[in-house]
């Protein structure tokens, strides 16, 4: 790489860092649209401990249906799907045990504007039955049982664009619904929630595909309310709410502020340390670390499974330390290669990267395995740490082995004769050590001529 090309590449890296830093924090209207752009760092989804929200605990009550463990698992899945379908994509539903040894289900919904609506959505698990006749005991004459047959209920629209309630049945429900509707076209279906008659839709045609809609002159709020009540009947267990807490975002704001201050101080000290100890090598590491931090923020903003919590911030800070550690390993190897041999600066840098790659990859892969185990098997509080650590490790290997190397490759044509710039020096016995790699430097050949 010549000097001109090196300057161009370094300029591109500098422009990339500046633009990514600007777009991380600034907000501005998008011309020609009604939308505003908000800095991608501001769009990172925050967890319950960072943004506030609502937390509720439900005790699973014994009943006569049997196989409680399987039904609890299904209920957790239904609750999670329900919350996600209603727009609460960062909500978590987890299983636990209370002091009495009974199974509990904890629901945590961060950053919600209306906690009461969420509690109304999940806080009233109910019985749901579809019948062909009015009855004081709908369970005895029902052809659809919400717990056993209905998979989900949601707001949709009919062919005219009016709001309607959509129903989706599981395989058993689809079969029962198809049989009943095929034999009773034109009749009325009675829908009971908690023993009370809620709706009386008419069967207009046989429904055999496992999906149905209930039409009417509904507003969105009315359709949403009906869908919510129907969905509450799909939970496979009987639940009793035992705890509910509104969590203030004040603690989260303070935590974010303190974490940002601590992170800025830590990163600033790292920059200073690398420059003082490794000089030009440290400057390359600092530029690569800037790229790393900006990419990490961008990935945290765009990846759907990232939800920043206090443990997640710890994972980010730890991964930053590991990114620097990779550069330190490389630089120490470069110093050894230059000091113990007679290699010129370009060859020492090339050999240093080559001989440190295996150690960096091995160390990061073992940490990756630990992060994956925590991600898969850990509790909700640990997952935030594991996710950010996993992303950070992948990016740290990329910036250490690719970005730092690219920057140093650009530095060499600009300065390849002053080892002091790179904090390099020969050891006293360096001239006695043979170079084990072929050099690219021009050599003089001696030709013997016969007299």
């Amino acid at each position: 790489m010549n000097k001109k090309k090196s300057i161009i590449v370094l300029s591109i890296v500098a422009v990339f860092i500046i633009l990514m830093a600007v777009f991380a924090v600034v907000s501005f209207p998008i011309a020609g649209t009604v939308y505003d752009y908000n800095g991608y760092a501001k769009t990172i989804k925050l967890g319950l401990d960072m943004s506030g929200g609502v937390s509720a605990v439900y005790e699973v009550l014994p009943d006569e249906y049997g196989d409680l463990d399987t039904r609890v698992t299904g209920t957790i899945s239904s609750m999670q799907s329900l919350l996600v379908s209603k727009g609460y994509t960062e909500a978590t539903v987890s299983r636990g045990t209370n002091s009495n040894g009974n199974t509990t289900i904890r629901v945590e919904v961060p950053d919600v504007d209306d906690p009461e609506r969420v509690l109304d959505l999940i806080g009233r698990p109910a019985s749901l039955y579809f019948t062909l006749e009015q009855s004081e005991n709908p369970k005895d004459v029902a052809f659809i049982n919400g717990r056993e047959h209905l998979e989900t209920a949601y707001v949709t629209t009919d062919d005219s664009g009016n709001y309607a309630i959509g129903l989706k049945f599981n395989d058993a429900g689809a079969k029962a619904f198809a049989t009943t509707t095929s034999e009773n076209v034109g009749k009325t279906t009675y829908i009971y929630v908690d023993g009370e008659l809620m709706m009386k839709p008419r069967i207009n045609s046989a429904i055999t595909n496992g999906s149905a809609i209930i039409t009417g002159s509904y507003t969105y709020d009315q359709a949403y309310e009906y869908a919510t009540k129907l969905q509450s009947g799909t939970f496979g267990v009987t639940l009793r709410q035992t705890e509910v807490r509104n969590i203030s975002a004040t603690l989260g704001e303070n935590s974010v502020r303190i974490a940002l201050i601590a992170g800025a101080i830590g990163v600033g000290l790292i920059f200073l340390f690398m420059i003082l100890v490794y000089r030009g090598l440290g400057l390359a590491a600092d530029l690569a670390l800037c790229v790393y931090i900006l990419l990490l923020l961008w990935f945290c903003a765009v990846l759907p499974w990232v939800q920043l919590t206090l443990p997640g911030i710890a994972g980010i800070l730890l991964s930053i330390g590991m990114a620097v550690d990779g550069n330190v390993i490389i630089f120490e190897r470069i110093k050894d290669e230059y000091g113990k041999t007679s290699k010129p600066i370009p060859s020492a840098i090339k050999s240093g990267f080559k001989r440190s790659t295996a150690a960096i990859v091995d160390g990061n892969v073992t940490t990756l395995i630990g992060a994956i185990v925590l991600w898969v098997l850990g509790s909700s509080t640990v997952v935030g740490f594991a996710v950010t650590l996993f992303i950070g490790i992948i990016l740290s290997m990329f910036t250490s082995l690719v970005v730092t190397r690219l920057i140093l490759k650009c530095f060499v044509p600009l300065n390849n004769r002053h080892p002091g710039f790179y904090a390099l020096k020969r050891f006293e016995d360096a001239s006695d050590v043979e170079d084990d790699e072929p050099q690219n430097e021009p050599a003089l050949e001696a030709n013997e001529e016969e007299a």
Side-chain angles (χ1 to χ4, degrees), residues 318-340:
L318 177 60
S319 63
I320 291 176
M322 296 187 68
V324 176
D325 180 65
N327 285 315
V328 169
I329 293 174
I330 294 170
F331 297 161
E332 288 298 325
R333 189 61 184 175
I334 292 174
K335 292 173 71 174
D336 285 344
E337 291 295 319
Y338 184 83
K340 293 180 179 180

Side-chain angles (χ1 to χ4, degrees), residues 118-152:
V118 178
L119 292 177
D120 286 342
L121 181 63
I122 61 177
R124 296 185 175 86
S127 62
L128 172 65
Y129 299 106
F130 287 54
T131 71
L132 291 173
E133 59 185 77
Q134 297 191 51
S135 173
E136 294 183 359
N137 297 305
K139 178 181 177 181
D140 297 334
V141 294
F143 65 92
I144 290 292
N145 182 330
R147 293 184 179 182
E148 299 176 3
H149 298 138
L150 185 62
E151 192 170 288
T152 185

